[in-house]
Amino acid sequence: MRTRLIASMAVLLASSTAAYADASDGVVKIGILNDQSGVYANFGGKYSYEAAKMAVEDYGGKVLGASVEVITADHQNKPDIASNIARQWYDTEQVDAIMELTTSSVALAVQAISKEKKKIDIVTGAATTELTGAQCSPYGFHWAYDTYSLAVGTGGALVKEGGDTWFFLTADYAFGYSLEENTANFVKANGGTVSGAVRHPLATTDYSSFLLQAQSSGAKVIGLANAGLDTSNSIKQAAEFGIVAGGQRLAALLFTLAEVHGLGLEAAQGLTLTEGFYWNRTPEAAEFGKRFFDRTGAMPNMVHAGTYSAVLQYLKAIEKAGTDETEAVAKALHEMPVNDIFAENGKVGANGRMIHDMYLMEVKKPGESDVAWDYYKVLATIPGDEAFIDPAKSGCPLVSQ
């Protein structure tokens, strides 16, 4: 009798241990870390948090029998603050994965910590190709877009249209440098020239001296290698100097639906830009956009939709792996195709880059917009294998050359 009781207890203990091994402590916790009060607050911000919660709700709120929780914090665009939050989340709050990570310097810092802690990070808000290049991680993934894909779209298109001389107005940190470099390479590869560049601090309020340098360069195209309110304010102040009226063209190298809405069609009309998602492109995207609008009062851009996709795919990977253990989930993320409202037949390269189609857009004139938030004409689809760097050429040491 005693032997049977011990045996039964051993079976119960083993089954209980197995259940917790499937989903760690019985909860899968995802952290959305981004800018919620600065220049990128509408670019991602609270809207990305809502997108993440939508993905969890659409998945059913549980994975492997464990509840799924989403938490969020504002990193204020500061790598030290982001690093402290990430360490606290991993060390004391049992966070399993961190996502979004707007601002490239922040994303690089948190990806390094995630690599150290052997935790998954999926970047949707930052752009630098270093994330899947020299600083790639076996547990790091880059989802929505990057500086290379933006350069292929907007940079390549404008040179072909005759914009063959460029001057750059660049945000003075990792993202801006990467976007300028990638775009300049495409300009030169297509027969164009770059006459110079000037760099401005993140979240500056006065662009006059920078814009005057760009204007005096005589370049046909002024490439705005910045984002969020920095780009919007650059465009507004450029109008005050009569830059576009004087015959030069502005290229918004990272500009999304959120910024177009903030600027308004009157000011934004005619801008050429590249996004990885547009809510009015397919019926499925439109349905998602309506649901997103109902809870936020805004239509989603590629960062919001990309965050939804990243969270959904992470939960699918846990299901496929049969556990939330990092190595197994990372392996599943590399193996699984991505098919959802954001990506059609997307795939994850060996360097962690999710490869999917991108779209070259032109902002409509006010009279061309039929419904609210209908701001884009899709000029071209850029196939994923053209839009993103071949993983074998990315410089990622994890990729076999």
Side-chain angles (χ1 to χ4, degrees):
M1 187 73 174
R2 178 181 171 82
T3 303
R4 285 184 196 165
L5 180 59
I6 292 172
S8 298
M9 290 176 65
V11 169
L12 286 171
L13 181 60
S15 62
S16 174
T17 302
Y20 276 100
D22 288 345
S24 59
D25 55 358
V27 177
V28 172
K29 189 177 286 190
I30 300 166
I32 301 299
L33 184 56
N34 59 17
D35 174 16
Q36 298 176 13
S37 56
V39 292
Y40 302 139
N42 291 332
F43 180 77
K46 63 185 179 181
Y47 301 117
S48 290
Y49 178 49
E50 288 300 322
K53 291 193 293 183
M54 284 178 69
V56 172
E57 292 164 14
D58 288 352
Y59 200 76
K62 290 181 178 292
V63 61
L64 301 180
S67 61
V68 182
E69 182 181 347
V70 183
I71 63 173
T72 190
D74 182 356
H75 61 46
Q76 301 174 47
N77 294 311
K78 297 177 180 178
D80 57 338
I81 291 176
S83 296
N84 289 336
I85 293 170
R87 290 188 184 279
Q88 179 183 333
W89 278 0
Y90 286 147
D91 293 342
T92 66
E93 298 189 35
Q94 289 75 53
V95 168
D96 297 288
I98 296 178
M99 303 188 195
E100 220 270 41
L101 296 168
T102 302
T103 311
S104 292
S105 53
V106 163
L108 289 166
V110 173
Q111 179 157 290
I113 293 168
S114 301
K115 182 179 180 180
E116 171 196 332
K117 301 289 185 181
K118 294 189 176 180
K119 297 284 190 175
I120 298 288
D121 73 276
I122 306 180
V123 177
T124 57
T128 180
T129 52
E130 283 292 292
L131 289 160
T132 51
Q135 299 189 50
C136 67
S137 162
Y139 318 118
F141 299 86
H142 201 179
W143 219 250
Y145 71 103
D146 60 26
T147 53
Y148 185 93
S149 64
L150 299 175
V152 171
T154 310
L158 289 179
V159 175
K160 291 173 184 175
E161 289 182 7
D164 55 4
T165 56
W166 285 61
F167 185 94
F168 288 95
L169 186 67
T170 302
D172 193 11
Y173 74 105
F175 150 70
Y177 314 149
S178 182
L179 185 52
E180 178 190 321
E181 180 183 10
N182 279 300
T183 306
N185 288 340
F186 271 95
V187 168
K188 294 170 186 175
N190 284 279
T193 59
V194 176
S195 61
V198 63
R199 292 174 174 174
H200 68 80
L202 177 67
T204 191
T205 55
D206 184 3
Y207 298 86
S208 56
S209 64
F210 311 117
L211 287 166
L212 286 171
Q213 289 182 62
Q215 187 177 39
S216 65
S217 73
K220 294 179 183 177
V221 179
I222 299 171
L224 302 177
N226 49 20
L229 288 177
D230 280 337
T231 305
S232 297
N233 290 332
S234 298
I235 293 170
K236 289 176 184 176
Q237 292 184 31
E240 295 171 9
F241 286 104
I243 288 177
V244 174
Q248 290 173 293
R249 188 166 186 175
L250 297 178
L253 298 173
L254 176 50
F255 209 55
T256 75
L257 196 73
E259 290 76 53
V260 172
H261 182 73
L263 195 58
L265 284 185
E266 189 64 43
Q269 61 181 305
L271 281 174
T272 302
L273 54 89
T274 302
E275 279 217 56
F277 175 85
Y278 180 44
W279 72 269
N280 208 16
R281 192 181 67 83
T282 68
E284 294 78 12
E287 189 274 335
F288 170 76
K290 183 180 184 306
R291 290 197 295 125
F292 186 89
F293 184 86
D294 287 344
R295 52 194 294 165
T296 66
M299 281 296 184
N301 64 15
M302 65 178 169
V303 177
H304 310 136
T307 300
Y308 174 91
S309 172
V311 171
L312 198 63
Q313 194 75 357
Y314 175 65
L315 298 177
K316 290 177 182 178
I318 292 174
E319 194 80 49
K320 174 180 170 62
T323 176
D324 65 352
E325 190 274 323
T326 297
E327 299 280 359
V329 174
K331 183 175 183 292
L333 283 167
H334 278 285
E335 293 173 347
M336 297 166 57
V338 183
N339 283 294
D340 53 34
I341 55 92
F342 179 77
E344 299 156 22
N345 299 313
K347 59 185 179 182
V348 176
N351 61 344
R353 173 68 257 175
M354 201 272 276
I355 298 166
H356 57 91
D357 294 348
M358 296 287 288
Y359 306 97
L360 181 66
M361 314 283 198
E362 182 179 288
V363 178
K364 291 181 175 182
K365 297 175 182 176
E368 296 175 328
S369 181
D370 298 324
V371 297
W373 291 86
D374 176 34
Y375 297 154
Y376 291 161
K377 291 185 284 189
V378 180
L379 300 181
T381 297
I382 308 162
D385 288 333
E386 294 178 19
F388 296 97
I389 300 170
D390 181 344
K393 298 177 181 177
S394 66
C396 172
L398 300 173
V399 182
S400 299
Q401 302 297 322

